[in-house]
Amino acid sequence: MEKEQARLLADFMENSASSVYEIQKLETSGGRLLKFHQWTNGKPTLAAFEITRPDSDTGYYFVFIDWHQNDNYYLVVYAHDRSTTCAEIRQIQEIDGAPHLIWTYKPFKRDGKNDQRKAYFKQMFGSTTIQIKLPYSAIEVEKFLGQVFKLCQNRLMADRIVERFKLE
């Protein structure tokens, strides 16, 4: 996504007064997020947030970062333990006159069962490609966060589906 689109979304998140989510902005230094994760070290970062949903005891880190250092910003969503990413979103597409984040589930596990994971994800969401409308103001951030949380939870569930149901 373009830098200005990422900055606008980060500003909406920072100014949101959500009653469902706790939004804590993380400190950056010189446009960098320090000592967060080896994949973010030294890369230009517009903003980063720890976002939790206390009623369900879930949380993620949202990082607006120039992931490949080519002036193309991503919203990278990290698991709450920072061990891995749940979603790396960069594509924006106009749908019905409104900008939407576009993300596609593509599992890369090395066990030969990625087709089963994709089938499960498609069954849950109706497609392996997710479209999330970008908020137009801080008031719309709560709905946006709900959709990103759902995307991450379903992605993690689909990744683990083989172990859960012992599919062969």
Side-chain angles (χ1 to χ4, degrees):
M1 78 180 78
E2 293 177 9
K3 185 176 186 176
E4 287 310 308
Q5 184 68 57
R7 185 182 316 280
L8 183 64
L9 182 53
D11 287 347
F12 287 158
M13 291 172 72
E14 184 174 3
N15 295 310
S16 173
S18 174
S19 61
V20 177
Y21 298 94
E22 292 179 3
I23 302 171
Q24 173 90 30
K25 187 170 185 182
L26 304 180
E27 187 176 327
T28 56
S29 177
R32 305 284 194 257
L33 183 61
L34 303 176
K35 298 179 182 175
F36 179 79
H37 191 279
Q38 65 186 8
W39 297 338
T40 63
N41 290 343
K43 295 180 181 173
T45 303
L46 289 175
F49 301 89
E50 179 181 14
I51 302 177
T52 56
R53 185 170 180 159
D55 69 346
S56 64
D57 199 31
T58 56
Y60 300 98
Y61 288 96
F62 286 55
V63 180
F64 293 90
I65 189 168
D66 186 354
W67 197 247
H68 298 290
Q69 301 181 69
N70 61 1
D71 225 22
N72 187 9
Y73 280 77
Y74 283 68
L75 167 56
V76 179
V77 183
Y78 275 87
H80 204 242
D81 65 2
R82 300 182 191 185
S83 63
T84 190
T85 62
C86 298
E88 301 163 11
I89 311 170
R90 68 170 173 78
Q91 185 180 358
I92 294 181
Q93 184 178 352
E94 289 281 322
I95 300 171
D96 297 328
H100 287 67
L101 290 177
I102 306 298
W103 180 84
T104 302
Y105 179 64
K106 296 177 187 172
F108 293 109
K109 306 287 184 196
R110 295 183 180 145
D111 61 4
K113 298 181 180 173
N114 290 326
D115 287 342
Q116 293 162 328
R117 289 181 179 93
K118 285 184 356 186
Y120 178 79
F121 192 91
K122 186 174 183 176
Q123 180 182 349
M124 292 298 292
F125 258 126
S127 173
T128 55
T129 299
I130 306 306
Q131 304 167 349
I132 299 174
K133 185 179 176 187
L134 290 173
Y136 276 104
S137 69
I139 295 169
E140 296 182 347
V141 167
E142 199 169 282
K143 181 177 180 183
F144 171 79
L145 293 176
Q147 292 176 315
V148 176
F149 268 55
K150 182 178 179 184
L151 178 157
C152 292
Q153 290 162 344
N154 280 338
R155 187 254 165 98
L156 294 172
M157 193 181 310
D159 282 355
R160 291 188 220 122
I161 195 66
V162 173
E163 301 137 25
R164 191 168 175 197
F165 293 113
K166 298 191 186 329
L167 298 173
E168 296 297 325

